[in-house]
């Protein structure tokens, strides 16, 4: 199960490797040759020395113009350590596979995209020994797909659009269009795409809207994410029950009590508090035995 936006942003290319070459061609306008074959490789770049280095996603693309290694890095914020890591990754991969490596950085943040797009240069200014120029996919160049028919034509690209623009003002129409388009793909793929989008939606309103859209789609409820959603729903209902019971009985609920109940994620503990709320004479008695 995908648990973070970092994982979802690069693993979508493992789910649909051809999406990456389409993004290079259509979004970044890089004349990357059409692959005859594309496959995922081991992302572990650890050497014999005990220094662990891993790329996020690594794909090998066989084309008429040669074999390329597509190195995908999901980046949440600027990180100056990448100035050393990214050139190392590319040099190591070339030495290991003897194929041309291509670095692609994907981010949800415009400032991070601007930072990542700056060339990394080693050597004397004007006579650099090594220059790394990352190709960057982010909210400023990934297309906004807010039309249902457009989303249906390329569902993985529509998923990428939702993941990169989920914080923006057009999030609602993007999510609605994608939700409709997901009905046109097989249920297993759709369930994976649902989870990728859910992991990347940082805005609580957008995430809730996405989950509301998904509740009516049968494949979603067969996916592990569905049980998580149901569990969260049960917890929230129990929190509300505890507080509502005190209020119905005319017992004042201090802010500290309200915050403690609202922060609890243990369903069994909330059940105990709900039982105590039926007989308590003040709100603090919920916690007397804790």
């Amino acid at each position: 199960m995908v648990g973070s936006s970092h994982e979802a942003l690069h693993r979508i290319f493992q789910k649909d490797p051809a999406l990456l070459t389409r993004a290079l061609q259509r979004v970044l306008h890089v004349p990357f040759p059409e692959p005859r074959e594309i496959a995922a490789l081991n992302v572990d770049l650890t050497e014999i020395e005990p220094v662990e280095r891993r790329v996020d996603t690594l794909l090998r693309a066989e084309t008429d113009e040669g074999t390329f290694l597509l190195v995908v890095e999901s980046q949440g914020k600027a990180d100056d350590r990448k100035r050393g890591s990214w050139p190392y990754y590319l040099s190591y991969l070339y030495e290991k596979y003897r194929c041309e490596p291509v670095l692609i950085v994907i981010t949800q943040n415009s400032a991070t995209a601007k930072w990542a797009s700056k060339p990394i240069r080693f050597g004397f200014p004007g006579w650099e020994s090594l220059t790394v120029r990352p190709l960057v996919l982010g909210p400023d160049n990934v297309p906004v797909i807010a039309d249902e028919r457009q989303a249906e034509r390329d569902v993985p690209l529509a998923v990428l659009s939702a993941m990169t623009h989920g914080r923006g003002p057009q999030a609602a129409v993007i999510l609605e269009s994608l939700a409709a388009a997901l009905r046109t793909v097989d249920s297993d793929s759709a369930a994976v795409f649902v989870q990728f989008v859910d992991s990347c939606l940082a805005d609580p309103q957008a995430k809730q809207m996405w989950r509301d859209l998904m509740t009516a789609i049968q494949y979603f409820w067969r996916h592990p994410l569905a049980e998580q959603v149901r569990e969260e729903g049960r917890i929230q209902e129990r929190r509300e029950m505890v507080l509502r019971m005190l209020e119905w009985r005319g017992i004042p609920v201090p802010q500290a009590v309200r915050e403690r109940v609202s922060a609890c994620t243990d369903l069994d503990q909330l059940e105990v508090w709900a039982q105590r709320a039926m007989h308590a004479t003040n709100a603090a008695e919920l916690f007397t035995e804790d």
Side-chain angles (χ1 to χ4, degrees), residues 3-290:
S4 70
S5 60
H6 178 277
E7 289 296 303
L9 281 171
H10 71 85
R11 282 178 57 183
I12 186 174
F13 299 114
Q14 297 175 16
K15 171 64 180 172
D16 185 349
L19 171 63
L20 187 56
T21 57
R22 295 201 300 277
L24 292 178
Q25 296 163 350
R26 302 177 191 177
V27 178
L28 298 178
H29 306 292
V30 174
F32 192 85
E34 197 66 34
R36 295 190 307 272
E37 181 183 347
I38 190 164
L41 301 178
N42 191 332
V43 299
D44 192 348
L45 308 186
T46 305
E47 299 182 74
I48 296 175
E49 297 295 326
V51 178
E52 182 176 327
R53 298 181 186 271
R54 291 178 183 271
V55 296
D56 288 331
T57 287
L58 181 61
L59 304 172
R60 180 172 59 202
E62 303 285 350
T63 77
D64 290 338
E65 298 181 25
T67 301
F68 296 89
L69 298 176
L70 305 178
V71 185
V72 184
E73 285 283 282
S74 174
Q75 195 68 27
K77 60 182 180 180
D79 183 354
D80 288 337
R81 292 176 298 177
K82 297 299 184 180
R83 175 176 162 80
S85 297
W86 286 342
Y88 170 86
Y89 293 166
L90 302 181
S91 297
Y92 176 85
L93 287 168
Y94 178 79
E95 180 64 22
K96 180 177 182 178
Y97 292 101
R98 291 294 167 175
C99 302
E100 298 293 341
V102 180
L103 175 62
I104 301 101
V105 179
I106 181 164
T107 180
Q108 295 175 287
N109 185 280
S110 295
T112 304
K114 184 177 180 180
W115 163 82
S117 64
K118 294 179 180 178
I120 300 170
R121 295 187 173 94
F122 288 163
F124 186 75
W127 298 90
E128 288 82 5
S129 301
L130 175 65
T131 301
V132 176
R133 298 180 62 190
L135 297 169
V136 182
L137 294 167
D140 295 328
N141 56 13
V142 172
V144 173
I145 299 181
D147 177 77
E148 180 179 333
R149 291 185 179 180
Q150 186 181 3
E152 289 176 356
R153 286 195 292 270
D154 194 336
V155 173
L157 185 60
V159 173
L160 183 62
S161 176
M163 292 196 298
T164 50
H165 296 286
R167 301 178 181 180
Q170 293 183 282
V173 289
I174 293 172
L175 296 177
E176 289 173 351
S177 299
L178 176 58
L182 284 175
R183 299 177 185 275
T184 65
V185 301
D186 67 275
S187 60
D188 290 337
S189 294
V192 174
F193 290 147
V194 166
Q195 189 179 348
F196 284 160
V197 175
D198 189 88
S199 298
C200 285
L201 293 175
D203 180 72
Q205 290 185 331
K207 185 183 286 285
Q208 187 58 52
M209 176 188 176
W210 179 242
R211 291 183 171 184
D212 289 343
L213 286 168
M214 293 299 99
T215 53
I217 301 178
Q218 185 178 1
Y219 63 72
F220 174 62
W221 295 108
R222 298 204 313 269
H223 197 272
L225 179 60
E227 182 55 37
Q228 175 188 338
V229 174
R230 287 195 290 269
E231 181 70 9
E232 291 174 358
R234 287 193 291 267
I235 290 171
Q236 183 59 30
E237 288 175 0
R238 199 58 52 87
R239 290 170 181 157
E240 294 172 356
M241 178 186 298
V242 173
L243 298 174
R244 198 161 48 232
M245 194 169 297
L246 292 173
E247 292 167 353
W248 283 344
R249 299 183 59 231
I251 297 175
V253 183
Q255 185 62 27
V257 172
R258 191 176 300 275
E259 290 176 355
R260 183 170 176 180
V261 172
S262 298
C264 182
T265 59
D266 186 329
L267 198 57
D268 292 336
Q269 180 64 77
L270 288 168
E271 177 63 32
V272 171
W273 290 346
Q275 293 175 7
R276 292 178 186 169
M278 296 172 62
H279 308 287
T281 57
N282 64 74
E285 290 182 11
L286 293 180
F287 318 123
T288 53
E289 296 180 19
D290 292 351

